[in-house]
Amino acid sequence: MSTRDLVHRVEELADLELALLLCFVANEHCLIRIEAEALDSLQHELQLVRPVAHASPALAEHRSCVVIECGSETTLDDFIDGLLLNVPSGNDPTAIEHEHHTESIEAPDSDRSVADVTFQSTTGIEEPRIADVVILKNLNQANQDAQIQALELIRTKRLFTHTSVVTAPKDFCMVIIQSSMGPGLNKHLVWLAHRFGLNHHIFLSHSHDLEDGFPNLENASEWIEDDRSSSSSVVRKSVLQRSKDGPGVTFSEADIQALANESKNTTVTAEVECYLQNVVTFLRMHRAIDGGIDPRATKYFKTLITCLASIHGIDFATPSLVAIAARKIYPYRIILTVPERDRSLQYGSDLAAVEAALQGVTPESVIEDVLAAVEAPL
């Protein structure tokens, strides 16, 4: 398929679909934030977005997805069990995928702390494996052990169980969803992040606005209600089948690989490279940031710029793409300083004046300050 055709299909994607497509093109992971009351809707929307945005219907049937709802009582064993699928050897993965999606969407009020279905083998030997797509809900509320396990899985793509070592799929994607107003990851992980860079292995962050809605979930809900209102219906379609029959934009593995190849061939001129480095430098020197910006973030910064260029159908980076990438890469990584740690206090600044200057500062406002201060090339 031509690049122009791919670009036309990308233009039809909603924001969540676009965020996940970028993760698959870069083969990375993401963090999505939303208001607390809409977390459940976001979870179900992502389960419907996954086959639409990532693969053609034929390939989507062979992609597994699990949802783990974390909490303070979620143990490490519960967390590991939720990541694994027991795939019966010789069984039909398509049937497994249909069963999983039907239960996840039609029973959203399940009281299980670790959401998803455990697949029992009827024929052959069960072989545990990690799901292709893992949606972690409220990871920030889990204990330290579960958070560290999740972040180690992102970093090494390996999971150590009591009996074996399970390797994540090649196209493994972890999507962390949490409240935009809730706490961040455990404070202990701030220290780990500076020493080991664990939480910086998350590729990008995205805040979903409720005004953008949940188009896939709304369509699926209409289909489900139509089925339930028909008393004569005996055979009910799965949600995955509904996505195939209804309108939607699909991307095959070949399409995703084509976009990935285009991103690797993107040209970054010396002027844009200088602009990119100036943004990073200004962020590191900003008075509101504590601990600076890690090098891995800069690597992801460049990767996202080239991925954005590929989905826009161009083979060169532009200053506007640099600004977009900065808003998606850095909010999650910025640790705001406290007034007592402001550098100007070493030179006689008044603490009250520093507190007034830092009042109301957010990671997003810091990024906007830097983008306004750094001159973009013409």
Side-chain angles (χ1 to χ4, degrees):
M1 181 173 291
S2 66
T3 303
R4 180 176 299 179
D5 292 335
L6 288 176
V7 172
H8 287 323
R9 287 158 62 190
V10 168
E11 292 174 350
E12 298 178 24
L13 297 178
D15 62 323
L16 292 175
E17 295 171 336
L18 184 58
L20 293 180
L21 177 62
L22 285 170
C23 288
F24 264 67
V25 171
N27 194 21
E28 295 293 347
H29 318 277
C30 67
L31 167 70
I32 301 178
R33 295 173 293 180
I34 197 171
E35 295 181 18
E37 63 270 16
L39 268 177
D40 290 338
S41 297
L42 174 61
Q43 169 198 323
H44 298 310
E45 173 73 8
L46 290 174
Q47 289 177 271
L48 290 172
V49 164
R50 181 182 58 86
V52 173
H54 292 166
S56 66
L59 292 173
E61 293 176 354
H62 298 277
R63 290 185 178 272
S64 56
C65 175
V66 296
V67 179
I68 304 178
E69 185 167 356
C70 303
S72 58
E73 298 181 356
T74 302
T75 65
L76 182 59
D77 289 338
D78 290 337
F79 185 79
I80 293 176
D81 290 343
L83 291 170
L84 297 176
L85 299 175
N86 294 323
V87 180
S89 59
N91 204 6
D92 181 12
T94 301
I96 292 177
E97 198 68 6
H98 284 184
E99 177 186 355
H100 162 74
H101 279 275
T102 302
E103 178 168 350
S104 297
I105 298 299
E106 294 190 4
D109 298 326
S110 174
D111 57 356
R112 291 175 294 181
S113 60
V114 178
D116 253 15
V117 55
T118 301
F119 306 118
Q120 300 295 334
S121 174
T122 55
T123 60
I125 301 174
E126 294 182 353
E127 298 176 358
R129 69 178 180 87
I130 300 174
D132 297 306
V133 180
V134 175
I135 300 175
L136 296 181
K137 184 178 178 182
N138 292 324
L139 178 62
N140 55 327
Q141 298 180 12
N143 57 40
Q144 293 181 9
D145 293 338
Q147 290 189 25
I148 293 174
Q149 180 64 73
L151 298 172
E152 279 290 348
L153 179 58
I154 291 176
R155 187 174 69 89
T156 65
K157 288 195 172 182
R158 291 189 298 174
L159 181 66
F160 293 88
T161 67
H162 294 295
T163 58
S164 63
V165 178
V166 184
T167 303
K170 181 180 179 180
D171 54 359
F172 173 67
C173 180
M174 182 178 290
V175 182
I176 301 174
I177 60 175
Q178 64 185 46
S179 169
S180 56
M181 301 301 293
L185 290 179
N186 196 292
K187 292 182 179 180
H188 177 64
L189 291 184
V190 173
W191 175 81
L192 286 175
H194 285 291
R195 185 171 179 182
F196 302 111
L198 294 180
N199 68 338
H200 299 296
H201 285 77
I202 297 174
F203 179 51
L204 60 84
S205 62
H206 173 67
S207 295
H208 182 65
D209 194 335
L210 289 180
E211 293 182 358
D212 295 330
F214 305 98
N216 293 282
L217 180 60
E218 291 167 2
N219 291 338
S221 299
E222 291 175 2
W223 281 319
I224 292 172
E225 289 301 324
D226 289 343
D227 276 351
R228 288 175 176 171
S229 62
S230 176
S231 59
S232 60
S233 177
V234 177
V235 179
R236 301 177 64 183
K237 293 183 179 180
S238 69
V239 172
L240 195 61
Q241 289 174 318
R242 298 172 193 281
S243 298
K244 293 193 297 182
D245 296 338
V249 181
T250 60
F251 288 84
S252 67
E253 290 289 352
D255 295 336
I256 295 173
Q257 188 60 48
L259 291 172
N261 293 336
E262 289 291 333
S263 70
K264 295 176 183 177
N265 297 326
T266 300
T267 299
V268 181
T269 63
E271 292 81 2
V272 174
E273 179 71 25
C274 182
Y275 176 56
L276 184 155
Q277 294 297 339
N278 286 340
V279 170
V280 175
T281 301
F282 273 60
L283 281 171
R284 287 176 174 166
M285 298 302 296
H286 197 282
R287 68 181 301 173
I289 295 181
D290 187 9
I293 302 295
D294 70 296
R296 182 174 292 274
T298 305
K299 173 186 174 182
Y300 284 153
F301 191 20
K302 295 179 179 179
T303 300
L304 182 56
I305 291 170
T306 58
C307 290
L308 287 169
S310 69
I311 68 173
H312 280 82
I314 57 178
D315 59 358
F316 57 92
T318 65
S320 60
L321 295 183
V322 173
I324 293 173
R327 296 184 178 101
K328 297 301 179 182
I329 291 293
Y330 290 110
Y332 176 67
R333 293 172 167 83
I334 290 177
I335 301 175
L336 297 177
T337 189
V338 294
E340 291 76 11
R341 288 178 56 85
D342 186 80
R343 292 188 294 269
S344 66
L345 292 177
Q346 302 177 24
Y347 306 99
S349 294
D350 182 68
L351 179 59
V354 173
E355 290 177 346
L358 296 179
Q359 186 176 8
V361 173
T362 64
E364 290 77 12
S365 66
V366 169
I367 294 172
E368 295 302 325
D369 287 345
V370 169
L371 293 177
V374 180
E375 183 178 357
L378 299 177

